[in-house]
Amino acid sequence: MPDNKDWKTRLIHSDAVVPEGFESLVTPVYRGSTVLFPRAAAARDQWNQHEVGYTYGLYGTPTNLELAARVCELENGFRTIITPGGQSALSLIHLALLKAGDHVLLPESIYGPNRMFSNHVLRRFGVDVSYYPPDAGSSIASFFKPNTTLVWVESPGSVTMEVQDVPAIAEAAHRHGALVALDNTWAAGIYFDAFAHGVDVTMQALTKYVGGHSDLLLGSVTVRDQKIHDRTIYDRLGETHQCLGFAASPDDCSLALRGMKTLAVRLKAVEQSALELAQWLAARPEVELVLHPALPSCPGHEFFQRDFTGASGLFSIVLQKRFSKDQVHAFVDALQLFKIGYSWGGVTSLVMTYDFESPKRPKYQHRLVRLYTGLESIADLKADVEQAFARVPA
Ligand SMILES: Cc1ncc(COP(=O)(O)O)c(C=O)c1O
């Protein structure tokens, strides 16, 4: 091509040069849908870029793959796939590992939208879905059916915080030939070593602690090994990820890589604040029960002590029976530092109310309040709760 290209062509095919040799501490944001091939014969559309090299932006640019590799390293897994959010991570696991006619078992305490996905999507595609009590332990075997192929665990469970006996459940599931999937978001993939406790595949909402600043949505799916019980789980996840088109933004991955650098100090800070607030709340006359895994009042506390290396910033309380629904709402509305909103794991303290009416769930009804402690001063957080209680007449 002559070097007298028209300026319009130069806008696309420039000969401009910049100095080389820039080195910084930060992973560059590689954006890109199209990936260039050196020769026609080298072009292919294959998801497994660890084996065939980069082929298409959908499967991740180097920024996405670095985040994946770092999550995988922290979880001691074989490989991680990044998804556009925690919800897509958990639906990827379902869709990759189940087929019509299979049976999937989930704890009653599973994250609500996981239940919704199972009930509304999986059932529509002919998957048998049922639930087991989160405290089942090895007695989970009585819930198996001949076609049970996947068992979910989430420990502690969403909102009601039951800590599960994951090793006992995993052992029973494996004896039955089923795989075990864990939602490891609460422990940030750090405080519970899933693969050492028998889990086969984990997911996390990186939206929470890894992101850490409430400004992105991302998820991860990590597999324990290349082959699990003679099955190539990773290949099924990769192929399904390609078919579903679950592309994650490199910009969000870059923010998550930044968040990851301060994960240790943020986790430690929210752990300390949450624990101090939970202990303080346990002594308050307005509170009937504190559901914090590190306190004996939390169902499954003994498994927390046995299996976890730390706690994070999310826990729930149950207010005394005298609190009407309106009074619970008045208490929550009176909070000033705790903001009302979903998706915890950032720097801001959050609060949310829940209603438990289902016969198979604990009888907390409207009195359950979930709290997340952020990075504010613990003295100010306690003062905020105290003034909010004072605004609700006894
Ligand atoms: C336990 C748990 N799993 C999964 C998710 C889904 O994550 P995302 O909001 O990134 O889709 C959430 C989000 O609230 C969660 O709390």
Side-chain angles (χ1 to χ4, degrees):
M1 188 70 198
D3 63 2
N4 59 346
K5 287 173 284 195
D6 185 81
W7 69 272
K8 291 193 278 305
T9 304
R10 284 186 183 281
L11 291 178
I12 319 296
H13 301 277
S14 171
D15 296 323
V17 288
V18 292
E20 290 183 0
F22 179 77
E23 268 190 57
S24 96
L25 294 167
V26 179
T27 307
V29 182
Y30 290 94
R31 295 197 191 92
S33 47
T34 298
V35 169
L36 301 182
F37 298 96
R39 298 176 309 285
R44 59 177 77 189
D45 186 9
Q46 225 274 16
W47 65 271
N48 194 340
Q49 308 196 39
H50 280 276
E51 276 166 30
V52 301
Y54 290 100
T55 62
Y56 189 45
L58 174 62
Y59 320 127
T61 73
T63 316
N64 302 49
L65 264 55
E66 177 161 342
L67 177 63
R70 283 169 171 255
V71 171
C72 195
E73 182 181 31
L74 291 173
E75 291 200 39
N76 297 313
F78 164 67
R79 211 141 272 168
T80 295
I81 294 173
I82 300 297
T83 62
Q87 181 67 12
S88 48
L90 65 88
S91 51
L92 173 62
I93 292 177
H94 281 294
L95 291 170
L97 303 187
L98 293 166
K99 61 182 186 320
D102 284 350
H103 172 230
V104 59
L105 255 180
L106 302 102
E108 295 281 359
S109 51
I110 197 81
Y111 172 61
N114 193 341
R115 180 186 278 263
M116 267 166 63
F117 182 84
S118 303
N119 291 351
H120 300 307
V121 181
L122 292 179
R123 280 185 178 149
R124 194 149 46 83
F125 288 94
V127 175
D128 186 3
V129 176
S130 66
Y131 296 87
Y132 67 93
D135 64 353
S138 56
S139 72
I140 193 174
S142 63
F143 293 85
F144 291 156
K145 301 181 183 182
N147 56 340
T148 308
T149 53
L150 180 63
V151 178
W152 275 86
V153 279
E154 186 183 327
S155 184
S158 276
V159 188
T160 43
M161 307 302 293
E162 299 90 341
V163 187
Q164 297 195 266
D165 188 350
V166 173
I169 293 171
E171 205 198 311
H174 291 156
R175 230 179 300 121
H176 192 76
L179 293 167
V180 179
L182 167 74
D183 187 329
N184 207 7
T185 304
W186 186 86
I190 303 283
Y191 285 151
F192 180 73
D193 186 351
F195 300 132
H197 290 92
V199 171
D200 299 309
V201 48
T202 65
M203 54 78 37
Q204 271 190 72
L206 303 178
T207 308
K208 315 286 193 258
Y209 289 118
V210 172
H213 297 78
S214 311
D215 54 3
L216 62 86
L217 285 141
L218 280 176
S220 64
V221 175
T222 303
V223 291
R224 163 161 73 74
D225 230 326
Q226 186 159 27
K227 273 197 167 182
I228 301 172
H229 313 305
D230 286 338
R231 280 175 274 184
T232 48
I233 304 303
Y234 176 58
D235 287 355
R236 267 160 58 185
L237 287 162
E239 286 156 15
T240 311
H241 181 259
Q242 169 171 13
C243 294
L244 291 170
F246 278 173
S249 151
D251 290 280
D252 288 346
C253 291
S254 147
L255 285 175
L257 282 164
R258 182 166 71 173
M260 193 178 255
K261 291 180 186 172
T262 56
L263 179 62
V265 284
R266 287 185 289 105
L267 266 185
K268 188 42 78 192
V270 299
E271 173 178 19
Q272 280 168 355
S273 285
L275 205 50
E276 189 171 333
L277 187 68
Q279 279 160 341
W280 178 80
L281 281 163
R284 290 286 311 191
E286 299 88 350
V287 176
E288 180 183 283
L289 188 60
V290 178
L291 300 170
H292 185 300
L295 299 190
S297 50
C298 189
H301 166 68
E302 64 275 25
F303 306 123
F304 174 81
Q305 280 190 304
R306 186 189 67 190
D307 298 338
F308 284 68
T309 53
S312 66
L314 188 77
F315 67 99
S316 296
I317 54 174
V318 183
L319 297 178
Q320 295 286 6
K321 292 202 175 55
R322 66 176 170 79
F323 277 78
S324 67
K325 189 167 181 165
D326 284 348
Q327 284 176 315
V328 174
H329 285 182
F331 161 64
V332 166
D333 291 349
L335 290 165
Q336 290 171 11
L337 297 179
F338 287 86
K339 301 295 179 192
I340 305 167
Y342 295 109
S343 218
W344 34 279
V347 302
T348 313
S349 291
L350 296 174
V351 61
M352 187 54 69
T353 58
Y354 289 88
D355 226 328
F356 278 86
E357 294 296 349
S358 157
K360 293 201 175 139
R361 303 308 325 277
K363 305 274 174 272
Y364 304 142
Q365 294 131 332
H366 58 269
R367 297 178 290 123
L368 196 137
V369 177
R370 188 180 73 177
L371 296 163
Y372 169 72
T373 54
L375 299 184
E376 303 92 340
S377 131
I378 182 64
D380 289 344
L381 293 180
K382 283 185 198 165
D384 192 25
V385 174
E386 192 151 31
Q387 66 78 26
F389 275 140
R391 304 263 300 268
V392 183

